């Protein structure tokens, strides 16, 4: 047996043994993001050059067979690479669709799409944002006015929409808000779900918990605040709903904002105390509870309780 051929075969086996492992890893990874096509093509060029050299010298032996074997395995990497590229593209299209960039099936109301899309463009330029997600009343809260008046060091984005309920809130979030990567979300939901709660409180709880779970899957670091329903007449049903919302907030380690005290809060004093604590080195970076207090104390002073009730969706 020719020692030179044996040593060359050993070299090829050592170089080629990692390629089958690489094929398996790439296939399981289902993404081409960590793969260099240029590097793979360079390796293929090297093997082709080696094969041509053997053929030119009429060396038809087992070494040539090892060259061909390595070449086939590396070519398999190319096929897996293009398959993974296709999967990456498909995931990107799904992500864009969930972000509302590809507007096909409308989720809530047609006239909301442009509003939410503009909010997304604003927030995407600066991921340092906190989002208000509520219904008809919340839709009338001017995030711009609050940002300007209280000189916030983050973007407050109001993505509320007319008559939003727990039945469609999860789909609405997935389509329009999942790409914002928000630092916090203030949820004020339930006004449109009184009949649901009256008929089936457990379903109300499950829908709320499912929404929170979806938000946490999309953004694990997002702080959450759950806002109670306004109840100026002490309605027994609303009081019971608020107890459920508070219980959900407690179980999900979210802040609970009780609107019964909103008229007593001073938004400027809240911000001043937060800024002072931050200046003293305390870890109070945009606490979601204080942000919600600023938002809803401002709303109690500037937004009528029946605001937007007579809007016509469409």
């Amino acid at each position: 047996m020719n020692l030179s051929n044996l040593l060359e075969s050993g070299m090829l086996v050592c170089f080629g043994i990692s390629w089958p492992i690489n094929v398996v890893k790439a296939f399981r990874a289902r993404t081409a993001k960590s793969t260099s096509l240029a590097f793979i093509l360079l390796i293929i060029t090297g093997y082709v050059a080696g094969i041509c050299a053997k053929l030119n010298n009429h060396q038809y032996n087992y070494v040539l067979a090892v060259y061909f074997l390595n070449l086939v395995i590396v070519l398999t990497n190319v096929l897996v690479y293009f398959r993974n590229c296709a999967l990456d593209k498909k995931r990107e299209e799904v992500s864009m669709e969930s972000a509302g960039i590809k507007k096909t099936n409308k989720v809530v109301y047609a006239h909301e799409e442009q509003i939410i899309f503009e909010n997304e463009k604003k927030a995407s330029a600066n991921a340092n944002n906190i989002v208000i997600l509520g219904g008809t009343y919340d839709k009338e809260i001017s995030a711009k006015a609050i940002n300007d008046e209280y000189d916030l060091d983050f973007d407050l984005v109001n993505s509320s929409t007319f008559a939003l309920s727990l039945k469609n809130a999860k789909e609405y979030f997935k389509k329009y808000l999942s790409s914002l990567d928000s630092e916090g979300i203030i949820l004020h939901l339930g006004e449109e779900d009184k009949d649901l709660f009256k008929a089936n409180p457990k379903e109300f709880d499950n829908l709320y918990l499912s929404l929170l779970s979806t938000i946490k899957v999309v953004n694990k670091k997002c702080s959450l605040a759950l806002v109670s329903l306004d109840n100026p007449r002490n309605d027994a049903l609303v009081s019971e709903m608020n107890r459920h919302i508070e219980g959900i907030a407690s179980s999900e380690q979210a802040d609970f904002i009780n609107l019964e005290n909103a008229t007593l809060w001073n938004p400027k004093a809240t911000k001043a105390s937060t800024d002072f604590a931050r200046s003293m080195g305390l870890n109070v970076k945009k606490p979601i509870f204080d942000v919600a207090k600023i938002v809803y104390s401002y709303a109690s002073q500037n937004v009528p309780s029946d605001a937007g009730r007579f809007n016509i969706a469409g």
Side-chain angles (χ1 to χ4, degrees):
M1 181 178 288
N2 188 305
L3 181 60
S4 297
N5 288 337
L6 185 62
L7 292 174
E8 187 176 3
S9 296
M11 175 200 72
L12 291 171
V13 170
C14 290
F15 281 138
I17 199 169
S18 62
W19 286 108
I21 300 173
N22 193 67
V23 169
V24 174
K25 285 185 177 180
F27 187 84
R28 290 177 176 174
R30 299 175 65 82
T31 179
K33 292 181 179 179
S34 61
T35 305
S36 171
L37 180 60
F39 176 74
I40 296 175
L41 294 177
L42 187 63
I43 297 297
I44 289 174
T45 302
Y47 282 134
V48 170
I51 291 171
C52 289
K54 291 294 181 184
L55 295 175
N56 186 62
N57 293 326
H58 304 288
Q59 296 178 337
Y60 307 111
N61 52 28
Y62 60 88
V63 179
L64 183 61
V66 177
Y67 269 110
F68 273 111
L69 178 61
N70 283 3
L71 179 61
V72 169
I73 296 174
V74 179
L75 286 171
T76 304
N77 271 270
V78 176
L79 296 177
V80 173
Y81 171 83
F82 284 111
R83 170 257 198 182
N84 287 348
C85 283
L87 292 174
D88 287 336
K89 184 178 180 180
K90 185 176 181 180
R91 277 192 294 268
E92 184 178 351
E93 290 174 351
V94 171
S95 177
M96 289 174 66
E97 210 171 310
S98 69
I101 297 174
K102 183 185 289 185
K103 297 179 175 63
T104 51
N105 298 321
K106 294 177 175 60
V107 174
V108 187
Y109 298 98
H111 75 280
E112 298 298 334
E113 287 194 337
Q114 186 60 35
I115 297 172
I116 300 303
F117 188 58
E118 290 299 324
N119 282 343
E120 285 197 347
K121 288 198 298 184
K122 175 184 177 183
S124 62
N126 178 12
N128 185 25
N129 66 80
I130 290 180
V131 172
I132 306 169
L133 179 57
T136 302
Y137 173 81
D138 310 85
K139 185 174 176 291
E140 302 301 318
I141 299 173
S142 174
K144 183 180 185 305
I146 296 175
N147 278 317
D148 293 343
E149 183 170 346
Y150 298 101
D151 190 26
L152 303 178
D153 59 349
F154 56 90
D155 276 335
L156 182 66
V157 180
N158 191 350
S159 294
S160 302
T161 187
F162 184 83
L164 185 67
S165 74
L166 287 171
K167 291 182 179 179
N168 54 25
K170 183 167 74 170
E171 186 180 357
Y172 183 82
F173 169 81
K174 288 165 65 177
K175 183 159 187 173
Y176 294 113
L177 306 180
S178 60
S179 65
L180 295 191
D181 194 26
S182 304
E183 291 194 15
I185 298 179
I186 301 169
L187 295 158
H188 188 203
L189 299 167
E191 186 66 36
E192 303 296 328
D193 301 286
K194 292 178 181 177
D195 290 340
L196 168 68
F197 184 85
K198 186 176 181 179
N200 193 342
K202 186 174 182 180
E203 184 180 356
F204 175 91
D205 294 347
N206 289 338
L207 286 172
Y208 217 136
L209 289 168
S210 179
L211 172 62
L212 298 182
S213 176
T214 299
I215 294 173
K216 290 179 180 180
V217 168
V218 172
N219 187 349
K220 295 180 180 179
K221 297 181 180 180
C222 180
S223 298
L224 297 172
L226 276 54
V227 182
S228 75
L229 301 181
D230 193 18
N231 191 18
R233 299 179 181 178
N234 294 318
D235 183 275
L237 177 67
V238 176
S239 295
E240 185 64 20
M241 290 178 72
N242 285 338
R243 280 194 286 271
H244 276 245
I245 294 171
E246 184 175 12
I248 292 169
S250 177
S251 69
E252 297 301 304
Q253 298 182 325
D255 286 316
F256 175 70
I257 314 300
N258 189 348
L259 287 189
E260 291 180 6
N261 305 314
T263 56
L264 304 177
W265 295 329
N266 185 325
K268 291 186 177 179
T270 299
K271 183 178 186 300
S273 63
T274 303
D275 290 344
F276 175 75
R278 191 180 303 128
S279 70
M280 297 297 291
L282 299 179
N283 185 21
V284 290
K285 182 183 178 183
K286 296 185 287 298
I288 192 74
F289 182 82
D290 287 340
V291 176
K293 284 178 64 177
I294 291 173
V295 169
Y296 285 96
S297 54
Y298 173 89
S300 69
Q301 299 169 19
N302 295 276
V303 180
S305 59
D306 61 348
R309 292 295 172 197
F310 304 105
N311 284 4
I312 299 176

